[in-house]
Amino acid sequence: MTKFYYYEDNSDPMTSPHNSGKEVDPSKLQSLGVFYEKMPLLAQVNALAIERRYQNRDEIKLNSETVDLSSKLDIFFKEHLHDDEEIRYITSGSGYFDVRDLNDDWIRLEVSKGDMLILPAGIFHRFTLTENLNVEAIRLFKEEPKWVAIPRTTSNMNNSSNSRIEYLSSL
Ligand code: KMT
Ligand code: NI
């Protein structure tokens, strides 16, 4: 199964695959600072968290019973960045993370149980569910479990947020 591909912008709902058929190599993701690894065991994630000095975590569950699911999904699907690196570990169900490449095209990453993803601080991204409308994930935070999403605006596209400047210069 293809897990990483260029997103096709069409009128399908956001939870549809939007698969353009153009596959993306893991090395392409690495060049954007995105790391993906299959981790069958939570112990592997715990070791990674210690290695990278993560202090906190929480659990997120989204499914058809979630209160205000559609407004929550709208928030996650708005293009944004964070000032901290984010680690996500999928424990059940599936979802899509979309990340921007340097040409501003979307790369879609399909994640499911056992998938670990590290998104660097400063990368523009968004998240949605697959058509199954069900995901459970652990979100790991460097410090307190804060989740501040900085929306993309014309003024922070390239240079107004520190994490964006640092991200671009790290590539
Ligand atoms: C993010 O930062 O976009 C998220 O945490 C999405 C939800 S994690 C399954
Ligand atoms: Ni995010």
Side-chain angles (χ1 to χ4, degrees):
M1 183 184 34
T2 311
K3 296 189 66 101
F4 313 134
Y5 53 82
Y6 276 98
Y7 177 90
E8 182 175 84
D9 205 357
N10 57 34
S11 57
D12 293 347
M14 62 188 169
T15 54
S16 298
H18 289 265
N19 190 342
S20 65
K22 258 177 81 186
E23 280 186 42
V24 172
D25 203 71
S27 65
K28 166 84 187 179
L29 294 179
Q30 271 191 38
S31 74
L32 296 170
V34 173
F35 289 89
Y36 162 83
E37 204 178 318
K38 189 98 199 164
M39 293 193 168
L41 302 174
L42 181 60
Q44 294 171 275
V45 181
N46 293 340
L48 182 80
I50 290 168
E51 186 188 304
R52 297 176 91 98
R53 296 174 197 285
Y54 273 66
Q55 310 272 14
N56 274 296
R57 62 182 68 190
D58 70 7
E59 279 171 39
I60 182 167
K61 201 185 229 186
L62 299 167
N63 57 49
S64 54
E65 257 123 67
T66 301
V67 179
D68 281 336
L69 179 67
S70 75
S71 51
K72 284 182 179 132
L73 289 185
D74 284 346
I75 293 169
F76 287 134
F77 205 60
K78 279 214 177 73
E79 181 171 2
H80 63 273
L81 59 75
H82 307 282
D83 282 334
D84 280 326
E85 169 186 287
E86 66 181 53
I87 299 183
R88 298 293 180 264
Y89 179 60
I90 311 299
T91 53
S92 177
S94 53
Y96 296 122
F97 280 92
D98 294 336
V99 300
R100 289 281 194 190
D101 76 359
L102 293 178
N103 296 322
D104 242 2
D105 290 321
W106 285 116
I107 295 173
R108 177 154 276 200
L109 317 174
E110 187 192 336
V111 290
S112 56
K113 184 177 162 65
D115 287 343
M116 187 288 305
L117 191 63
I118 307 179
L119 298 185
I123 193 171
F124 282 112
H125 67 278
R126 62 187 183 189
F127 173 81
T128 194
L129 296 176
T130 67
E131 282 153 345
N132 300 330
L133 301 185
N134 172 44
V135 80
E136 290 177 33
I138 299 175
R139 308 193 295 180
L140 294 98
F141 302 92
K142 284 241 151 133
E143 279 149 38
E144 74 276 24
K146 68 167 194 256
W147 190 83
V148 181
I150 303 167
R152 181 161 179 169
T153 62
T154 44
S155 63
N156 72 10
M157 254 165 70
N158 291 308
N159 53 24
S160 82
S161 122
N162 275 339
S163 56
R164 185 69 185 159
I165 301 171
E166 280 165 29
Y167 171 65
L168 291 174
S169 66
S170 76
L171 299 179

